[in-house]
Amino acid sequence: MSKNLVIVESPAKAKTIEKFLGKDFTVKSSIGHIRDMPKKGMGIDIENNFEPTYEITSDKKKVVADLRKSVKIAEKVYLATDEDREGEAIAWHLLKALNLPDNTPRIVFHEITKGAITSAITQPRIVDQNIVDAQQARRIIDRLVGFEISPVLWRKVAGARSAGRVQSPVMRLVVEREREITEHIAKNTYKVKAELVNNAGEIIDVKLSKDFTSKDEALTFANALLKSDFSVASIEKKPSKRSPKQPFITSTLQQEASQKLGFSVKQTMTLAQNLYREGAITYMRTDSFTLSEEAISAAEKVIKQEFGEQYHHARRYKTKDAGAQEAHEAIRPTDLTKPSIFGIEDQAAKLYSLIYKRTLASQMSDAQLERTQIKINLSNRDEQFLANGEVLAFPGFLRVYDYLSSEDKLLPNLAQGDNLKLTSFTARESFSKAKPRYTEASLVKKVEEMGIGRPSTFATMVSTVQERNYVTKETREGVKREYQLIEINDGIIAQSTPVETTGAEKNKLFPTSVAYLLTDFLVKYFDDIIDYQFTAKLESDFDTIATKNTPWQGVVKNFYTPFHKKIEGAEDISREEVSGMRELGTDPKSGKPVSVRFGRYGAFAQIGHKDDEDKPLFASLRGSLNIETITFDEAIELFNMPRTVGETNDFGIIKANYGRFGPYLQYGKKYVSLKELTPEEVTLEEALILIKAKEKFDAERIIKTFPNSEIQILNGRFGPYIWNGKKKGKGQKNITIKKVFGEKEPADLTLEECKKAVAGKLKPKAKPTKKKAVKKKVVKK
């Protein structure tokens, strides 16, 4: 056994590090956290200054037992968990669970290379208790919130599972953005573009210096153009530059990978973590823009060698946020001589290339540009046409990363006073847009700007609100919309009303019905949990604990005292108050009110009232419908079910409908699930294909039926069984034949035997017991 034991978090990382350290070191993995507060009970002694109780989690008992054995035979133990708060906490839990002394060497590194690992071994420190306390404070507050507020939500808000301290403000952001979009009233304007031509026949694209607010204004302007002369009023040329962006931190990597590669936040972090474990990049959870002097020197060498000295410009970035913590360097390749790496999956290779280019570009010269603006006068109007162009004088960092806008065009050589002619003109009606819905990446950017969360929590925050069904990521088709168009071609004005598609969304975040209810409930009764500034202030408090030795118990107490009082007062809140009920109108057929609300099984529409003599009609909201935005017409359409698809001699009347478990077909007393077709659109031909497939499946499944009885003997996943003919949830009972009748042939069973089995009057056949072999003692003579 090796003299030295190094404990890391990841098994993959362990293998890599062991190669670097050599035969005198054994590297083992904790596979993440090994201890946590117990699942049953709160695990926090509120009366005793919020003292937490920790236990080894059930899935880590074997891991801890193995580590204890390794610790016993090692001469020296090193703790080498990740260098963020979670990593520091894991190191502290290892100290306690493995009974290690407090001065056990703790080593940190932000890249898995031989140089970084061997250097870290020579410069150990001890576990930083301040950082551990910051993590504990966060964990304890999150536990208190989840443990105390979840039961309130289960009783008061239908469909709400829990309300996390950080996830709730994230959910609120999505809800508030959706409400902004819903409330947005589009204003129309007319944007004017034209093509002019000079004496040399060169075309110049121009746009008007103002927009018109009405069609009449645009039409008047178009008529004036037919009688106007055009001349160059001025030509203004200005040198400009573009500077490279800073190297990646966690949030900017997530945003750029989303925009350029189409990766989700979770996917980006998984790929980045794999690249880190393979030693290809530095630590991926960081909010520091700093590059090491070693990296800056390496970049200089590569840039001068590949592009020339004029392309190099050393830059030393500083992190603006005083509370920045986690790793101490930006995300960069560990070896800048490798623009690409092989032997990894394609997506990981793309992410590595993105990181490489961004890092190298950050150490390169500015791109030098020449911007030109030409102003063109009209002889009979005060407005001016503008033509903008851009010339790339020196590419600088653009040789490696980023591109100029496709709208930047070269302009022909013109002189002041040159005359131009009109070749074409368009005045197009356009509509103001609401703020865009969040993508995962733009949501991360927003929470970072607001100070909610830290790099290690960004991906979890965005994924948790989706896992709890508060937010969904969807791609939606747009809707058709008419717009007005005025054109001049060959000296003739033409008007038309083309159609465009608007509102199409790709991988955007939408709130669910329960998100609206939960957000409003929390804003009204637990404003601290969902308040942006309060959440950001807590994050700042955690930073203070980590850096300034502030006692964590005080931060927890300041949060818990007012929070618990609100929990105690929540018993007086009625469930009806938070149902999200909306009156939409009156049903033209029955004259009864049409409303929507959220219930035990989700959002639904209702015709009538619970106190009416006749039972109200109910219909579940489906697809993209939610209680916040559903219209009266959309609600009424929900009640146009079941729909009769058709009728045949073999199967009778076939109907399509929606149920608790999704859309389905019904023929007689039988049902077939509609997986990829909707009840509104399924045709008779499509329905028959599904029904015949179902009949064939049932025929192969049925072993025996009995006249005048619902009992059947069927083939199932675990062998033949007796079914009592009842539907699930209505007294269904299945009896495995082998358990009751042993090896008896299922087809030979009688109806009486099946009835007794269903009634529980037959005892299961006892399994034959195997005799244990008796070991004979061998007596040595």
Side-chain angles (χ1 to χ4, degrees), residues 222-236:
N223 279 295
L225 286 189
L226 295 177
K227 303 171 186 176
S228 181
D229 295 323
F230 308 91
S231 61
V232 176
S234 65
I235 300 172
E236 187 177 3

Side-chain angles (χ1 to χ4, degrees), residues 493-594:
I493 296 176
Q495 299 180 55
S496 61
T497 309
V499 176
E500 65 180 351
T501 299
T502 182
E505 300 283 21
K506 184 176 181 181
N507 292 332
K508 294 292 182 69
L509 299 178
F510 293 82
T512 62
S513 289
V514 72
Y516 289 108
L517 291 183
L518 183 54
T519 296
D520 290 344
F521 176 80
L522 293 174
V523 166
K524 187 173 182 179
Y525 298 107
F526 295 93
D527 54 324
D528 286 356
I529 291 181
I530 209 159
D531 181 78
Y532 302 128
Q533 292 183 344
F534 182 84
T535 307
K537 170 68 167 55
L538 261 182
E539 294 293 344
S540 178
D541 289 342
F542 297 148
D543 292 340
T544 304
I545 295 169
T547 57
K548 297 182 180 179
N549 198 25
T550 301
W552 65 266
Q553 293 89 345
V555 171
V556 175
K557 184 178 181 180
N558 289 341
F559 170 84
Y560 181 73
T561 303
F563 168 70
H564 185 67
K565 284 182 181 177
K566 291 177 181 178
I567 291 288
E568 291 175 332
E571 289 302 321
D572 299 330
I573 305 167
S574 70
R575 192 181 181 93
E576 189 67 23
E577 190 180 341
V578 287
S579 67
M581 198 274 283
R582 287 176 60 221
E583 292 278 358
L584 300 179
T586 303
D587 176 29
K589 293 180 182 178
S590 65
K592 294 181 178 181
V594 179

Side-chain angles (χ1 to χ4, degrees), residues 117-401:
I117 302 301
T118 53
S119 174
I121 287 286
T122 62
Q123 302 176 61
R125 59 173 175 82
I126 60 172
V127 170
D128 190 323
Q129 191 61 45
N130 291 339
I131 298 176
V132 172
D133 287 347
Q135 190 274 346
Q136 277 201 109
R138 174 197 284 274
R139 182 75 183 92
I140 289 168
I141 287 178
D142 289 348
R143 179 82 167 201
L144 289 167
V145 170
F147 195 88
E148 294 207 351
I149 204 171
S150 292
V152 174
L153 298 180
W154 299 336
R155 293 193 301 270
K156 307 298 181 181
V157 185
R161 295 171 60 187
S162 61
R165 180 188 60 84
V166 177
Q167 287 80 24
S168 296
V170 173
M171 174 185 67
R172 181 185 181 184
L173 281 171
V174 178
V175 166
E176 289 183 343
R177 177 58 56 87
E178 193 65 26
R179 282 177 169 159
E180 285 182 68
I181 293 168
T182 303
E183 293 166 6
H184 174 74
I185 299 173
K187 294 181 180 179
N188 63 329
T189 56
Y190 286 78
K191 296 185 180 296
V192 174
K193 292 183 179 180
E195 282 186 356
L196 304 177
V197 64
N198 64 5
N199 293 331
E202 297 171 305
I203 292 175
I204 308 154
D205 293 319
V206 296
K207 61 182 180 181
L208 199 64
S209 56
K210 62 173 281 188
D211 296 335
F212 295 115
T213 57
S214 71
K215 184 178 179 180
D216 288 343
E217 285 182 334
L219 199 55
T220 300
F221 182 77
N223 279 295
L225 286 189
L226 295 177
K227 303 171 186 176
S228 181
D229 295 323
F230 308 91
S231 61
V232 176
S234 65
I235 300 172
E236 187 177 3
K237 294 185 178 181
K238 286 183 179 180
S240 65
K241 65 179 182 179
R242 286 178 64 185
S243 299
K245 295 178 180 178
Q246 297 162 311
F248 283 130
I249 58 176
T250 303
S251 60
T252 56
L253 177 64
Q254 291 168 354
Q255 292 157 39
E256 199 82 343
S258 173
Q259 293 163 6
K260 283 190 162 59
L261 305 177
F263 293 171
S264 69
V265 168
K266 189 174 182 179
Q267 182 183 14
T268 297
M269 293 312 293
T270 300
L271 293 170
Q273 188 155 336
N274 291 339
L275 287 171
Y276 168 65
R277 287 172 178 171
E278 293 296 324
I281 64 171
T282 54
Y283 194 55
M284 66 287 160
R285 294 191 184 99
T286 175
D287 49 11
S288 170
F289 293 109
T290 306
L291 290 176
S292 67
E293 290 302 317
E294 181 185 354
I296 292 172
S297 297
E300 178 182 2
K301 188 175 181 181
V302 170
I303 292 164
K304 288 181 176 179
Q305 185 175 322
E306 293 292 324
F307 307 106
E309 190 165 345
Q310 71 274 30
Y311 280 89
H312 175 253
H313 181 101
R315 301 172 192 269
R316 288 168 176 81
Y317 299 98
K318 291 184 179 179
T319 304
K320 294 178 182 178
D321 184 3
Q325 41 94 24
E326 317 292 3
H328 304 296
E329 193 172 0
I331 304 168
R332 64 166 176 84
T334 54
D335 186 352
L336 281 165
T337 64
K338 294 180 179 179
S340 57
I341 49 178
F342 303 98
I344 59 172
E345 62 172 304
D346 184 52
Q347 290 176 326
K350 288 179 180 178
L351 189 66
Y352 176 84
S353 178
L354 195 69
I355 295 167
Y356 179 89
K357 289 176 181 178
R358 178 81 165 231
T359 305
L360 204 64
S362 74
Q363 298 300 305
M364 294 180 72
S365 304
D366 294 335
Q368 302 297 327
L369 308 166
E370 183 181 73
R371 297 187 188 276
T372 303
Q373 185 178 75
I374 301 174
K375 294 181 180 179
I376 298 161
N377 283 339
L378 287 71
S379 61
N380 57 355
R381 297 282 297 197
D382 293 332
E383 296 90 354
Q384 287 184 318
F385 277 127
L386 303 176
N388 293 296
E390 193 170 59
V391 177
L392 184 63
F394 174 69
F397 75 93
L398 293 174
R399 283 283 299 271
V400 171
Y401 192 83

